[in-house]
Amino acid sequence: MATGGRRKDRVVLVAPQNDDTMLLAGLFAIAGFALSTVFDADTVLAMCKLSLPDSIIIDLDTPGLEGLILATRLRGIEGANTLTLVAIESTSATRVAPDALQAAGFDGIVGRPATVTKLIDALSASVRGRREP
């Protein structure tokens, strides 16, 4: 996370349109992130084609969203190799296996409940993992 005079980390949260998402977005802002909240795959893809954020958090329980397909499409955008993708685990009975998430391009996964602390830790670990040999 950036502090002081440095720029804020730009994060996009793709999640259901509900009170929990709005609360999470507010807490990210308090933690010093420049956060955009998006409720569908088409919008995040269009945003990223114009300007890539530093990280994207995708809630796999977002209605109408196929997280593995979205991650693959995001990874196909020019310059997306520097993008950090973190998934919030699905609550459904058909959870996606961690190997499948990694194969789709996710750098990390956070279980539920997905707190701001867990998400920040996952983003930080993913970024460190990219920098280490």
Side-chain angles (χ1 to χ4, degrees):
M1 176 175 59
T3 59
R6 298 175 7 203
R7 74 167 174 79
K8 294 179 179 183
D9 288 348
R10 295 172 302 129
V11 178
V12 174
L13 173 62
V14 183
Q17 189 170 2
N18 61 35
D19 291 342
D20 290 342
T21 298
M22 296 300 105
L23 176 62
L24 193 58
L27 292 171
F28 260 97
I30 291 169
F33 288 83
L35 184 95
S36 299
T37 306
V38 177
F39 309 112
D40 64 90
D42 291 338
T43 302
V44 73
L45 286 165
M47 285 174 63
C48 289
K49 287 177 182 174
L50 295 174
S51 176
L52 281 173
D54 299 303
S55 305
I56 300 177
I57 300 167
I58 300 173
D59 185 332
L60 298 178
D61 280 345
T62 303
L65 179 76
E66 174 51 57
L68 298 179
I69 293 171
L70 176 57
T72 302
R73 287 185 180 163
L74 287 167
R75 287 291 181 214
I77 295 173
E78 186 177 339
N81 58 324
T82 62
L83 178 66
T84 299
L85 288 178
V86 172
I88 298 174
E89 186 176 58
S90 176
T91 57
S92 74
T94 56
R95 288 192 174 144
V96 180
D99 290 348
L101 290 169
Q102 187 176 14
F106 282 100
D107 300 297
I109 184 167
V110 173
R112 295 199 184 261
T115 65
V116 171
T117 302
K118 286 182 186 178
L119 290 167
I120 291 172
D121 288 348
L123 291 172
S124 297
S126 297
V127 170
R128 278 194 310 274
R130 286 177 175 276
R131 292 185 185 148
E132 295 173 0

